Amino acid sequence: MIPAEADYVRAVELLRAGELVAFPTETVYGLGADAANPAAVAKIFAAKGRPADHPLIVHLAGHDAVDHWAEQVPAVAWELMETFWPGPLTLILKKQAWVPSTVTGGQDTVGLRMPGHPVALELLRRFAAVAGEHAGIAAPSANRFGRISPTTAAHVQEELGERIQLILDGGPCKVGIESTIVDCSRNEPVVLRPGHIAPAHLEAVLGRQPAIETASGAPRVSGSLAAHYAPQTPMRLIAGQRLLDYLNAQRHKGDRCGVIGHSQPPQAGMPHLWRMLPADPVGYARDLYAALREMDHAGVSAIVVESLPEEAAWAAVTDRLRRAVAGSGQS
């Protein structure tokens, strides 16, 4: 799906005027504002209900803009950019002094990424053509803070409605979970958030396994809270070998659950709502948020998710599910 010419023109006009525009990326839909305009960036936090000390990711049209936003960019960061940009990789770098603290959450680092979606790239190029060749769009996921990230334009409309004036519709997101975040502001690159680009992919470029850090001492990054990506319906992770027994117990209690599985097919005679996701991590990630959102609207007593394999390839979606469970059931 390609937006009309008039939609692109309107999007750039709104961004230049300090307003918000939602747009698709390959990961999830983003809620964008001119990253160089603190007043515009503040509108993102207001629309989402996002704490002001949570940094945003700045989306760029190309590698040439990196030095405008970051200083002391190490060689390893350029290597990762050359390999994975455009794509679902965010790099944490030491920021230039001018970069607004509203974007960085008051930190001395900034997150940068070049998205791998044609609509996002076209918007970024058009915006840079009028706002300056190094212009960037700050954009977290286009949902209320802590809730399920949107992977379609309809999800954005449902989440934010009249809080934004324009949603560029680029169809469903192909990756479906947020970008991998790698901190390159220290001596060695460190993975701060898992994503579609796995440690094995990074190792192929770095020549070594990158460190993975989730400690509280790490720089704050998007999506690092214990409770995040969450439905309002209570949610549980249940091991595959226990799934049917658990569901039988819920049936006898008179409860109707929403079940998300990848290996256990729907069982005849059970009242539960079933959703089967692909049994591979890439397909599962692509469909996960839409499935959670569907179950959240289904009027079920709980969302029951079959646990995932304990393999490195599943680490990113496992991360999202654990955070979703921690935040679920909250009004």
Side-chain angles (χ1 to χ4, degrees):
M1 182 176 294
I2 301 174
E5 172 69 17
D7 291 330
Y8 280 121
V9 172
R10 178 64 174 150
V12 172
E13 289 175 346
L14 287 168
L15 290 169
R16 289 287 285 156
E19 301 298 335
L20 305 181
V21 172
F23 63 96
T25 77
E26 76 280 28
T27 57
V28 300
Y29 273 70
L31 181 61
D34 180 355
N37 182 341
V41 171
K43 292 180 181 180
I44 294 176
F45 291 88
K48 284 176 61 73
R50 182 184 177 98
D53 64 349
H54 284 238
L56 305 177
I57 293 170
V58 177
H59 294 68
L60 304 174
H63 303 66
D64 294 346
V66 170
D67 283 326
H68 179 70
W69 293 86
E71 64 177 14
Q72 302 171 4
V73 181
V76 67
W78 291 112
E79 292 174 10
L80 292 172
M81 286 181 235
E82 289 296 330
T83 304
F84 297 112
W85 283 11
L89 177 68
T90 296
L91 299 179
I92 304 298
L93 300 163
K94 290 292 185 182
K95 77 176 186 72
Q96 292 284 1
W98 72 268
V99 177
S101 61
T102 47
V103 171
T104 65
Q107 299 177 83
D108 64 354
T109 54
V110 62
L112 302 177
R113 134 169 154 84
M114 181 183 178
H117 192 290
V119 173
L121 288 173
E122 182 66 15
L123 175 63
L124 286 161
R125 290 167 183 149
R126 287 172 179 249
F127 181 61
V130 299
E133 61 180 327
H134 303 311
I137 298 176
S141 56
N143 56 283
R144 288 170 293 164
F145 181 70
R147 298 304 183 192
I148 305 168
S149 297
T151 53
T152 69
H155 295 165
V156 180
Q157 180 63 38
E158 173 191 319
E159 284 283 330
L160 299 175
E162 297 179 354
R163 299 183 188 188
I164 52 177
Q165 297 184 41
L166 180 64
I167 303 169
L168 288 179
D169 190 347
C173 301
K174 292 184 177 180
V175 172
I177 59 172
E178 299 77 7
S179 61
T180 304
I181 297 180
V182 178
D183 184 6
C184 291
S185 69
R186 296 180 261 179
N187 293 329
E188 287 290 325
V190 178
V191 176
L192 299 183
R193 182 175 73 184
H196 181 76
I197 296 173
H201 300 138
L202 299 170
E203 183 179 6
V205 177
L206 301 173
R208 58 195 180 281
Q209 183 79 20
I212 300 174
E213 183 175 295
T214 57
S216 59
R220 295 185 303 275
V221 294
S222 296
S224 60
L225 294 180
H228 218 67
Y229 318 113
Q232 293 178 280
T233 306
M235 177 176 162
R236 293 198 63 175
L237 282 173
I238 301 293
Q241 64 269 27
R242 295 184 51 238
L243 184 61
L244 295 184
D245 287 342
Y246 180 83
L247 292 173
N248 266 315
Q250 301 310 301
R251 179 185 61 177
H252 290 308
K253 287 168 56 179
D255 287 342
R256 181 172 182 262
C257 300
V259 185
I260 297 176
H262 60 87
S263 69
Q264 294 281 2
Q267 299 298 304
M270 283 196 179
H272 310 301
L273 176 64
W274 290 76
R275 180 78 146 77
M276 292 295 293
L277 297 190
D280 69 276
V282 173
Y284 191 101
R286 181 192 62 233
D287 296 343
L288 173 61
Y289 288 152
L292 286 176
R293 193 173 291 271
E294 174 189 338
M295 295 301 183
D296 208 19
H297 294 328
V300 296
S301 58
I303 300 172
V304 178
V305 181
E306 179 185 1
S307 295
L308 302 179
E310 294 182 2
E311 301 169 6
W314 289 89
V317 282
T318 297
D319 170 81
R320 302 312 193 273
L321 283 175
R322 287 174 177 164
R323 296 179 196 276
V325 168
S328 67
Q330 301 178 21
S331 59

